[in-house]
Amino acid sequence: MKNRIDPELIEILELFPPLDLENVEATRQALATLSQTIELPMDEAVNIYDRLVPGPNDNPTVRVRIYEPRENRGTLPGMLWIHGGGYVLGVPEGDDSLCQRFVKEANCVIVSVDYRLAPEHPYPAGLEDCYSALKWFSEHAEELGVDPSRIGAAGASAGGGLTAALSLLARDRKGPALCFQMPLYPMIDDRNNSPSSLEITGNMVWNHDLNQKGWTMYLNGANGSDDVPAYAAPSRATDLSGLPYTYTCVGQLDPFRDETLDYVTRLCRAGVDVEFHLYPGCFHGFEGVVPNASISRRALEEYVGAVKHVLHREVLLQKK
């Protein structure tokens, strides 16, 4: 397996400590401590602040982190960003750099959701928090200087899974209309039995064992059973029609490769416009782990560029 990894990516695996999901709280603390030792550049052109917004019935408030241009020129598009972490880890601050880049290069407003995590809060808690944040974003678009008809949703890994689930939920509840979705290498199949999920073992950032543990905590042990809803695991969805323009990507050495390929194929068959990229030699989350590698820079440029393209596409469609 290692001889298939992109040469610029392989060295980090020797240094990257394997994730321990046996003790989730300790892992969260370790990641928080690590993040405090890394000084992330804050762009003076981007304004960042937190707000508490109304949540679902069982969670009265949800924290969102808002990123916007300091010099706002007219009404902008917006994007709801959902962080990754296997449904059990992560905070919005971990994506500060990426969200600032979206603001600057795609000229948009980002609202990032601090949703509840499993195992303390299994499905549907996190998804309902994301839906509440989307509703608030749409209802307060004018206040944020955003065009409510040009709001998309995006996220990576579990954030990609929640993005795909949120798109289904918004469609079926006839809630806020999303103009696009960008579930990057999404965690969408609780069955964890595809060829790629079985193939990827060992310290590859995310693997079959970690995937099993993440899904078990998120679905409270129901993963793999017959009654898992599509809003929990979007690979279970039988109807993908009516979903918005979609951009997605995945590494060829990612356990989520095959579920992403299947999702893309079925979106196409359902008449959804899709752009898809498969990156050879790349493990899960490669562009975040080794952002300066050539293939990582290319992947980042392509999906940041996709956000800009889709938002401009929506303006052109509105003018027709």
Side-chain angles (χ1 to χ4, degrees):
M1 179 66 71
K2 285 195 173 182
N3 64 352
R4 297 178 58 198
I5 299 173
D6 185 288
E8 289 189 88
L9 303 179
I10 194 166
E11 287 187 10
I12 196 66
L13 293 181
E14 307 294 332
L15 305 172
F16 194 87
L19 288 172
D20 178 12
L21 294 189
E22 294 294 340
N23 189 336
V24 173
E25 188 53 42
T27 299
R28 289 174 186 162
Q29 291 296 328
L31 291 172
T33 301
L34 177 63
S35 69
Q36 290 170 3
T37 67
I38 303 172
E39 281 196 32
L40 295 174
M42 305 304 281
D43 197 309
E44 292 183 359
V46 180
N47 191 34
I48 305 174
Y49 59 97
D50 293 352
R51 286 189 64 166
L52 293 177
V53 305
N57 291 336
D58 63 338
N59 189 33
T61 59
V62 175
R63 181 174 73 96
V64 297
R65 191 162 174 83
I66 300 170
Y67 307 77
E68 60 188 16
R70 285 193 185 275
E71 295 185 6
N72 194 336
R73 299 179 182 177
T75 302
L76 301 178
M79 187 169 76
L80 187 79
W81 177 258
I82 308 172
H83 70 76
Y87 298 109
V88 299
L89 303 170
V91 291
E93 288 80 357
D95 293 327
D96 273 349
S97 292
L98 178 59
C99 288
Q100 290 175 87
R101 183 170 177 176
F102 282 132
V103 170
K104 288 195 70 178
E105 296 189 24
N107 195 28
C108 63
V109 173
I110 300 292
V111 173
S112 183
V113 193
D114 188 15
Y115 58 90
R116 287 172 290 173
L117 300 172
E120 299 90 338
H121 304 285
Y123 169 83
L127 177 60
E128 291 294 350
D129 289 350
C130 292
Y131 185 76
S132 293
L134 176 63
K135 278 186 62 182
W136 176 84
F137 195 178
S138 178
E139 291 166 359
H140 292 78
E142 184 176 349
E143 172 190 336
L144 296 168
V146 168
D147 177 354
S149 70
R150 288 194 291 147
I151 294 176
S157 191
L162 285 165
T163 297
L166 182 64
S167 294
L168 290 168
L169 194 64
R171 178 197 68 182
D172 296 346
R173 287 183 178 175
K174 304 190 186 312
L178 292 169
C179 72
F180 79 104
Q181 65 162 347
M182 190 170 73
L184 304 170
Y185 39 91
M187 184 175 174
I188 53 177
D189 194 345
D190 66 292
R191 291 163 291 199
N192 197 27
N193 61 2
S194 70
S196 63
S197 69
L198 296 169
E199 173 190 1
I200 306 304
T201 58
N203 188 18
M204 297 281 281
V205 178
W206 196 254
N207 59 30
H208 181 270
D209 180 59
L210 291 169
N211 203 38
Q212 190 69 21
K213 289 173 181 173
W215 277 114
T216 298
M217 287 185 273
Y218 184 54
L219 297 183
N220 211 15
N223 48 308
S225 65
D226 293 336
D227 56 354
V228 173
Y231 305 128
S235 284
R236 303 278 194 148
T238 56
D239 178 12
L240 298 179
S241 63
L243 293 178
Y245 184 107
T246 301
Y247 180 99
T248 186
C249 66
V250 69
Q252 194 168 348
L253 304 180
D254 191 318
F256 302 152
R257 180 194 69 210
D258 292 343
E259 59 205 70
T260 304
L261 288 168
D262 176 69
Y263 181 61
V264 166
T265 300
R266 294 194 297 117
L267 282 170
C268 292
R269 290 173 179 165
V272 176
D273 291 332
V274 181
E275 182 175 353
F276 169 65
H277 294 253
L278 178 68
Y279 294 103
C282 295
F283 48 74
H284 185 73
F286 66 96
E287 87 290 1
V289 177
V290 196
N292 291 322
S294 297
I295 198 164
S296 300
R297 290 198 302 269
R298 182 153 57 89
L300 281 159
E301 287 168 3
E302 286 169 345
Y303 69 67
V304 173
V307 173
K308 182 178 180 180
H309 163 73
V310 175
L311 297 178
H312 281 288
R313 171 182 179 269
E314 290 302 313
V315 173
L316 292 174
L317 290 174
Q318 288 174 13
K319 288 181 178 178
K320 287 184 178 180

